[in-house]
Amino acid sequence: MALEIKNCSLSFGGIKALKDFTASIKAGEILGIIGPNGAGKTTLFNILTGVYVPDQGEILWEGKPVQGLPPFLINRLGIARTFQNIRLFQNLSVEENVKVACHRSLKTSLLRAPLKGPGLLKEEKAVSKKAFDLLELFGLLERRFELAKNLPYGDQRRLEIVRALSTDPKLLLLDEPAAGMNKTEKRELIELIREIQKDFNLAILLIEHDMGVVMTLCPWLVVLDYGEIIAKGTPDQIRKNPKVIEAYLGEKVGVA
């Protein structure tokens, strides 16, 4: 397994945000996490990326425990994420947003950087090429000198994914990437995520409210409600699950 989450729980005061969450994902797989607002989905992502430390449970990445590690170390191990609310560096250019993420892999120290030695120049050239190639691949190259805040909404979402990919992850966490997109942008996003998974050989953990997007992309789904798993299964199984229907519609349904 690339990622194993074992019985993770987290409370805020008396509120149980996540309770005994258990799931796993292998290299190259895609797993969808769905549930109503406040179900605990983003809390799970925050635990996985070191923003929160679980009260109990264990998170294994490539067989080693990572719970409690700070976010920058978790990223170095190969886990990257996007955010439900876009968190680009709005006053930096598109290209600079990508380069900032690339620079975490530079080996030249801060003390040596002002000397502009051949090692640093070589690394900076490699970073520029990497940013160029990624922006070209994702159709953002022509906008590379624009400020991130001036991009259309869909392109900002794409840029956030590009920035995450520039850290060379093995696992990509996408937090509601289709939020705010129109139908055309959602269709393009589905194809983009499929291409990312194939071309970069990534495991992808996807939170998404749009059922059309998540059901199309994910062969296996986990459903959360009030911090607890209420269902696991294929899209077809989840569509017919009475507990899932009740969680979304607020009423009990009988099983046909």
Side-chain angles (χ1 to χ4, degrees):
M1 292 293 177
L3 177 71
E4 293 182 80
I5 309 163
K6 298 182 177 181
N7 303 112
C8 278
S9 298
L10 180 65
S11 296
F12 298 103
I15 299 175
K16 204 80 169 179
L18 201 66
K19 183 179 179 181
D20 296 325
F21 185 93
T22 296
S24 62
I25 183 170
K26 296 179 181 177
E29 287 187 339
I30 182 166
L31 173 66
I33 310 290
I34 64 173
N37 288 328
K41 304 182 297 297
T42 297
T43 297
L44 172 65
F45 270 25
N46 286 334
I47 288 174
L48 295 178
T49 54
V51 178
Y52 300 145
V53 179
D55 298 328
Q56 66 181 48
E58 188 175 30
I59 302 166
L60 298 177
W61 171 245
E62 297 184 328
K64 297 179 181 179
V66 296
Q67 70 273 11
L69 292 181
F72 77 94
L73 285 182
I74 289 176
N75 179 250
R76 286 181 182 178
L77 291 173
I79 299 175
R81 72 175 293 182
T82 64
F83 294 87
Q84 181 177 356
N85 299 313
I86 295 173
R87 295 187 186 179
L88 296 171
F89 300 110
Q90 296 288 341
N91 290 310
L92 294 182
S93 72
V94 169
E95 184 179 58
E96 287 168 338
N97 266 272
V98 181
K99 284 184 173 181
V100 165
C102 290
H103 269 78
R104 77 151 185 85
S105 60
L106 296 184
K107 295 180 174 59
T108 303
S109 69
L110 288 174
L111 292 176
R112 291 181 175 274
L115 301 177
K116 290 286 184 178
L120 177 61
L121 294 176
K122 183 179 179 180
E123 287 185 322
E124 287 188 337
K125 185 177 180 180
V127 164
S128 294
K129 184 180 187 307
K130 184 176 183 179
F132 184 97
D133 291 344
L134 282 170
L135 291 172
E136 184 177 38
L137 181 64
F138 286 86
L140 293 170
L141 188 59
E142 292 183 357
R143 314 192 81 138
R144 66 187 184 278
F145 300 126
E146 294 184 33
L147 293 182
K149 66 182 179 182
N150 294 334
L151 291 181
Y153 185 85
D155 284 347
Q156 288 193 36
R157 283 283 179 193
R158 292 163 72 89
L159 177 57
E160 195 173 39
I161 294 173
V162 172
R163 188 179 61 179
L165 289 174
S166 69
T167 66
D168 300 318
K170 300 175 187 175
L171 171 64
L172 181 61
L173 312 181
L174 298 175
D175 193 347
E176 297 197 30
M181 289 186 172
N182 59 40
K183 290 183 179 180
T184 300
E185 289 172 333
K186 287 176 182 178
R187 285 195 296 268
E188 292 173 350
L189 177 70
I190 289 170
E191 293 307 312
L192 177 63
I193 293 174
R194 283 173 171 165
E195 289 173 11
I196 289 170
Q197 184 189 18
K198 179 181 176 182
D199 295 345
F200 291 85
N201 192 29
L202 288 174
I204 296 176
L205 198 56
L206 173 69
I207 290 174
E208 186 51 62
H209 269 299
D210 189 292
M211 290 297 101
V213 172
V214 76
M215 295 286 184
T216 300
L217 279 170
C218 302
W220 191 261
L221 300 169
V222 176
V223 188
L224 279 172
D225 191 29
Y226 293 107
E228 294 188 61
I229 293 176
I230 60 170
K232 293 182 179 181
T234 64
D236 190 53
Q237 291 170 333
I238 294 302
R239 284 189 191 97
K240 299 174 182 177
N241 188 298
K243 289 184 178 179
V244 177
I245 297 171
E246 181 182 349
Y248 274 95
L249 299 181
E251 58 184 24
K252 292 185 178 181
V253 295
V255 179

